Amino acid sequence: MEKYCPKCNKIVPVDHSHSRKTINCRKPYPAHMLKVNRIKLANNPLCEDCEEQGITRPASEVHHIVKPNGNPELMYSLNNLKSLCKSCHSKRTQRGE
């Protein structure tokens, strides 16, 4: 689903938001990336980082193992994605992964 964002003056995904710290918008994923994310989470519904520690926690986000930098093969490859919980994904993002 999509909505209109008056700050961006364009149609954006429903989960689109603006940070309090900046007026810039969070970049919305293209629809085909959202589809790949849904497939990854359906195939791997548990957080892969938590599982390595013997913890069972549902995954809610998808992380690129190797940053795609515009490379479609890396961007959309299920082998380049990890299913993670929000906490683990935040930790990896803070480390610059």
Side-chain angles (χ1 to χ4, degrees), residues 74-91:
L74 291 175
M75 177 73 88
Y76 306 116
S77 170
L78 292 174
N79 295 328
N80 189 39
L81 299 174
K82 266 194 148 182
S83 295
L84 300 175
C85 64
K86 182 161 185 60
S87 175
C88 288
H89 194 218
S90 294
K91 289 174 189 172

Side-chain angles (χ1 to χ4, degrees), residues 9-53:
N9 195 29
K10 62 183 176 183
I11 302 296
V12 294
V14 171
D15 64 351
H16 171 85
S17 65
H18 292 268
S19 168
R20 292 181 188 186
K21 296 178 184 176
T22 179
I23 60 167
N24 294 333
C25 297
R26 198 176 80 194
K27 274 186 178 177
Y29 264 155
H32 43 283
M33 189 65 226
L34 294 174
K35 183 177 180 180
V36 171
N37 286 357
R38 283 193 297 272
I39 292 168
K40 179 64 179 177
L41 289 171
N43 290 339
N44 300 93
L46 300 177
C47 175
E48 296 179 53
D49 283 358
C50 286
E51 280 188 309
E52 290 174 6
Q53 300 171 31

